[in-house]
Amino acid sequence: VSQSRYSAQQAAADAKFVQKDGSGNVSINGYIRTGATGYVGFGGGTNYLRGDNPNNAVYLGTNNLDRLAIDSAGRVTKPYQPSFRVRMSTNGNTSVPNGGVMPFDTVMHNIGSNFNTSTYRFTAPVSGTYAFSFHSYKNGSGNPSLLAARVNTNALYRTRFNDTGDVVIVGAFTCYLAANDYVDVVNDSGVTFVAYDNTSGSYTSFEGHLIG
């Protein structure tokens, strides 16, 4: 969605809203256009509500980009909603020492770029409720297994498996995060955790998204 597109909407507007500053200067603060593509622009038009009548769809936009869409069947999509899924780059075993962060260093998707593959952390861009899940295939090493999800440095969710053979550790949770809080997954087993993964991320991965 380009600036020129909505400059054109402004030029063809059926009604315009103006404001006057203390010096008497007048500027356009919003406008309405009707027709096949109904349009209401705010703040000069970079923020808007747009209707696509031929396709029976509605769009809500900020900064000249469609942020929320409702199609003719009522399905709502938010293409900029923060979301990620990451895996380990190693095709095989990765040894994670006790207390070590699980090294999710390969992005499968990372909308908003909020997951850092150097620190292995997701950092909340805004305050809200988030959903997370993780799983890891532990190659049998004769030890029980415990993984913990942390918010900042505090363990929020733990999942444990006492079998000493090959097991899959799975966890899922929701939580409220303030902006700039971070979430990671650490080995809390008391011993080295040997995680197995391949290039698909089907054995070991970490994922999450903003609910709202």
Side-chain angles (χ1 to χ4, degrees):
V1 179
S2 66
Q3 174 68 40
S4 60
R5 175 179 179 180
Y6 292 106
S7 296
Q9 294 280 9
Q10 179 176 340
D14 297 309
K16 298 181 181 180
F17 303 97
V18 298
Q19 62 181 6
K20 183 182 293 186
D21 63 21
S23 300
N25 299 312
V26 175
S27 60
I28 295 174
N29 190 45
Y31 47 90
I32 297 175
R33 183 180 181 184
T34 59
T37 302
Y39 185 86
V40 180
F42 311 94
T46 58
N47 308 314
Y48 56 86
L49 175 65
R50 176 170 66 89
D52 182 355
N53 292 342
N55 294 308
N56 295 312
V58 175
Y59 302 88
L60 182 66
T62 62
N63 199 26
N64 284 321
L65 293 169
D66 292 344
R67 305 296 187 177
L68 182 148
I70 306 174
D71 71 7
S72 60
R75 293 168 293 208
V76 178
T77 55
K78 295 177 283 185
Y80 292 90
Q81 191 80 338
S83 174
F84 75 95
R85 187 181 183 210
V86 290
R87 62 175 177 83
M88 297 179 181
S89 60
T90 303
N91 187 13
N93 292 333
T94 298
S95 294
V96 183
N98 181 51
V101 180
M102 297 290 283
F104 295 108
D105 57 359
T106 301
V107 167
M108 303 180 76
H109 79 265
N110 192 14
I111 298 173
S113 301
N114 300 298
F115 190 92
N116 187 314
T117 54
S118 297
T119 60
Y120 318 131
R121 295 174 176 174
F122 171 84
T123 300
V126 295
S127 298
T129 301
Y130 291 78
F132 298 95
S133 63
F134 60 88
H135 74 286
S136 183
Y137 184 101
K138 188 208 79 169
N139 235 338
S141 56
N143 298 300
S145 307
L146 194 157
L147 296 179
R150 304 186 304 181
V151 174
N152 302 325
T153 58
N154 303 309
L156 177 70
Y157 179 92
R158 288 184 171 93
T159 181
R160 178 183 176 90
F161 205 97
N162 288 323
D163 195 309
T164 58
D166 290 5
V167 296
V168 177
I169 310 298
V170 179
F173 61 99
T174 61
C175 64
Y176 180 87
L177 299 177
N180 298 315
D181 283 348
Y182 69 83
V183 178
D184 56 16
V185 180
V186 299
N187 172 22
D188 205 16
S189 301
V191 294
T192 297
F193 183 94
V194 181
Y196 176 83
D197 200 5
N198 61 13
T199 55
S200 72
S202 59
Y203 288 89
T204 298
S205 70
F206 178 32
E207 45 275 328
H209 66 275
L210 170 64
I211 297 174

